[in-house]
Amino acid sequence: MKRLTLLSILFLLGSVAHLTAQPKYEVRAVWLTTIGGIDWPHTYARNGIGIAEQKRQLTDILDRLQQVGINTVLLQTRVRATTIYPSETEPWDGCLSGNPGKSPGYDALQFAIDECHRRGMELHAWVVTIPIGKWTSYGCQQLRKHYPKIVMKIGDEGYMNPEVLLTADYIAEMCEEITKHYDVDGIHLDYIRYPETWKGKKNPDHITRIVRRVHQAVKRNKPWVKISCSPIGKYDDLSRYSSKGWNARRQVAQEAQRWLYQGLMDQLYPMMYFQGNNFYPFAIDWQENSLGRSIAAGLGVYMLHPKERNWPLDEVQRQLNVTRQIGMGHCYFRAKFLLDNVKGVYDLAHDFDRQPALVPPMTWTKTPVPMAPKVLEVRRTIRGDELSWSGAQNMSKGPYLLYNIYASEKYPVDTDDPANLIAVRHAQTSLLVGKSSGLQHLVNYAVTAVDRYGNESPATQEPVLSTALPAAFMPNDGRVLTVTRKSEADYLAVLTMQGRIVYSCRNQAQVNIQTLADGVYELRSLNKKGIMHRLGFFIIKRNQPWRK
């Protein structure tokens, strides 16, 4: 009865937006599909122009994902016994060049990693494990030619046989190849289960054997690389709720919760593409069995489309609210439906994740946190505030450190408040916070070091305090902003310190800012051609003495 009561409360509260404070740590992910170019790429790379266009498409996608707070990109890397990188084992997928087996002329995985890291996002290599495509497809043919004993045919589809010992070794070697050659943040196993059409008994030990071999292969090279999978959205029947004949454990021998208990998985992304009692009790079950690992509910935003199930938008909103209330992250399936703003889902995501969040640290590894930078220097110049720091030390066996930078009108800067984050997973030991010529800055700064396990050091605060409100900041009373610098542009846009547009309106002397959270913002003019110019900065800090 206790769970029923909790479920009823969560369902009712989930209908109301923003009941739960924005968390500092939360997985906010998306599946970015490459098969057939259905998410990316939308054109072929057959020359330099084609390569540049594919790169432009991907950077546009990542920019838009960053604007809605995505911090984890699951990029389909092994497609169907084919890859989007120059593998020593499997051929190129045709999604890049248009011809299976032919190079597109560049390393798409490396490019994606660099672009994600430039934006402070993690990139996880999404590896499709058991299915290898149509029996006559190029990847399946090549695998059949070289490893006939591990390939089987069901209908007109090819699969790797999970019950053959060599299958586990082969998949593990693929994951090890990616881990050794690329600076990925995770290996994401898809379809790590028996085919639904499998004849005969399904033995979970065979699937677990594959997972264990992948874990060994990845962790012996880079123990900070997260291992995850996307299990079927219902683990098993619950005492009060049936899975209605479709669950991970019994139907396809996918014992994902057991893998958490055995330490074989760092994250789970259950594919919870359901509504009502087919979603909420099973979400609670996943979280209750998380053992402190990260669970991100896979949200079927494709179901919003009229050609799918034509869900109402408030179903996704409720699922977002409930999963946050119980401590889960969220992962959108898939990128195209999110970015196409089907029924306003992109706008919903933009509003729901209105402050940045960090990927939760891998606390279960029990690795020591880094030492904080010893020095943080801030030079206030005509170009803006030039930050530099030094002295941080990595106390784990991982590679280079990253840095989180915080800013606030209040001193010392509260680094527990995600609203103060202005840069995450920053790779350099310096940062320019630009501003208009002659602008006197108000905010104070702090910096922390982060290792590849996500452990964050104590904060190093700026030694110089700035506690008075300068006249150069545009005045506001927490409700209305007075625009002190005029422009002939058609529109005004309000941006976060990360460059994300959070509000826009027609050009006017006063701007309604009641819907914006406390924090530091930039105001820019915006013309019909999309060209923006900075007008200045303003700070929303309600109920402060200087407002009275």
Side-chain angles (χ1 to χ4, degrees), residues 44-65:
Y44 294 130
R46 292 171 174 158
N47 51 39
I49 295 174
I51 292 172
E53 175 59 18
Q54 282 191 359
K55 290 182 175 182
R56 184 199 64 79
Q57 291 170 10
L58 184 59
T59 56
D60 286 351
I61 287 171
L62 296 179
D63 283 343
R64 296 193 64 207
L65 293 176

Side-chain angles (χ1 to χ4, degrees), residues 298-359:
L299 304 182
V301 295
Y302 73 99
M303 291 291 196
L304 294 165
H305 200 282
K307 292 184 179 180
E308 294 290 342
R309 297 295 179 84
N310 203 24
W311 282 4
L313 183 62
D314 61 6
E315 177 62 38
V316 175
Q317 182 182 54
R318 185 180 300 113
Q319 292 179 3
L320 282 167
N321 280 312
V322 168
T323 51
R324 175 167 290 172
Q325 289 160 18
I326 63 176
M328 295 177 74
H330 46 275
C331 183
Y332 300 105
F333 185 80
R334 51 188 172 79
K336 178 175 173 24
F337 293 91
L338 175 65
L339 298 178
D340 283 354
N341 201 23
V342 177
K343 290 188 177 175
V345 67
Y346 184 86
D347 297 333
L348 169 64
H350 188 285
D351 186 47
F352 187 76
D353 292 327
R354 61 191 183 279
Q355 294 173 359
L358 306 178
V359 175

